[in-house]
Amino acid sequence: VNTLLLFIAGFLSYWLAGKTLRPIQEMYSKQKHFLSDVSHELRTPLAILQTDLENELEGANTQYAREVLQSHLEEVDRMSGLVKSLLTLSRLENGQADALETKGEIVDLQLILRKTIDRLTPLAQKQQIALAFSSNTSAEIPLVASKEFLEQAITNVIHNAIQYNKKDGQVNVSVSTQEDTATILVKDTGIGIAQE
């Protein structure tokens, strides 16, 4: 009798767990579809915006207008990269293993860091954070990488250092090279990350 009751209790537990998880699985599936759909839908307006900005840039009269339009173009390009990353994430979640295949190219790490600092400086100023950059070399730091993923990784780390900082805090970004190794160091006065 005890064995029969144990078997029935186990079966009911399994059945209830399946029933409980079904709505969660459905929501997860809907979320994946939503992510994929939104990524696809955002590509078209971004492409149109990029084309319009490029046309405006060709007809820009002043240096200031060209600089502003170029800055906007860089942001649109970055947003396009984020949308592409969302599509990559969606494909990975759907089991498409080739989603992370990237094209390696020679990029200048020094330039990527400087552009990222320039792009994030207004955010740091708005949050009253001093953002500084230093390097042990003025030369290019060439490396083979996916420019898109490298920019995204660097941006995420620096953005988090700004976001989770205190008022009048600091974020110091440095890059150093030694032989065939480059090291990026991001130090901040924020709340830190738990050891775990």
Side-chain angles (χ1 to χ4, degrees):
V1 172
N2 286 341
T3 305
L4 181 62
L5 288 174
L6 189 60
F7 176 76
I8 291 171
F11 175 77
L12 285 173
S13 296
Y14 178 78
W15 180 75
L16 285 172
K19 194 170 175 112
T20 303
L21 288 175
R22 196 169 299 124
I24 296 170
Q25 289 169 334
E26 287 173 7
M27 287 301 294
Y28 182 67
S29 178
K30 286 179 183 175
Q31 181 184 346
K32 285 199 297 186
H33 286 296
F34 175 76
L35 186 64
S36 179
D37 291 347
V38 165
S39 302
H40 280 291
E41 290 298 322
L42 285 174
R43 290 173 81 178
T44 303
L46 283 171
I48 292 169
L49 187 56
Q50 183 171 7
T51 303
D52 288 349
L53 285 169
E54 285 169 351
N55 290 338
E56 288 283 329
L57 186 60
E58 285 179 16
N61 307 359
T62 65
Q63 179 64 25
Y64 175 75
R66 281 191 290 278
E67 286 175 4
V68 169
L69 288 167
Q70 189 61 48
S71 173
H72 291 340
L73 261 173
E74 287 172 8
E75 285 303 310
V76 168
D77 191 47
R78 196 172 72 82
M79 285 185 70
S80 296
L82 290 173
V83 168
K84 190 175 175 186
S85 295
L86 282 173
L87 277 171
T88 300
L89 179 63
S90 176
R91 288 178 184 139
L92 281 172
E93 287 185 341
N94 288 326
Q96 296 175 7
D98 63 340
L100 274 181
E101 284 182 10
T102 59
K103 183 182 73 173
E105 56 186 311
I106 298 175
V107 296
D108 178 7
L109 181 60
Q110 183 101 269
L111 182 63
I112 289 174
L113 283 164
R114 289 185 189 281
K115 281 188 170 183
T116 303
I117 296 293
D118 289 345
R119 198 173 66 246
L120 292 175
T121 294
L123 174 67
Q125 289 171 344
K126 184 179 176 186
Q127 299 200 189
Q128 298 178 333
I129 306 294
L131 179 58
F133 174 68
S134 62
S135 174
N136 72 343
T137 178
S138 58
E140 289 185 0
I141 304 174
L143 57 103
V144 177
S146 163
K147 185 181 178 192
E148 177 192 334
F149 285 153
L150 185 60
E151 282 180 344
Q152 189 176 346
I154 291 169
T155 299
N156 287 347
V157 173
I158 299 172
H159 184 272
N160 284 346
I162 295 168
Q163 188 100 14
Y164 297 102
N165 215 312
K166 60 184 181 186
K167 188 178 175 184
D168 299 320
Q170 290 183 324
V171 177
N172 296 310
V173 181
S174 63
V175 62
S176 58
T177 57
Q178 188 174 12
E179 295 176 11
D180 62 348
T181 302
T183 304
I184 302 168
L185 184 64
V186 179
K187 284 182 160 183
D188 66 73
T189 54
I191 58 175
I193 300 171
Q195 186 63 39
E196 295 78 27

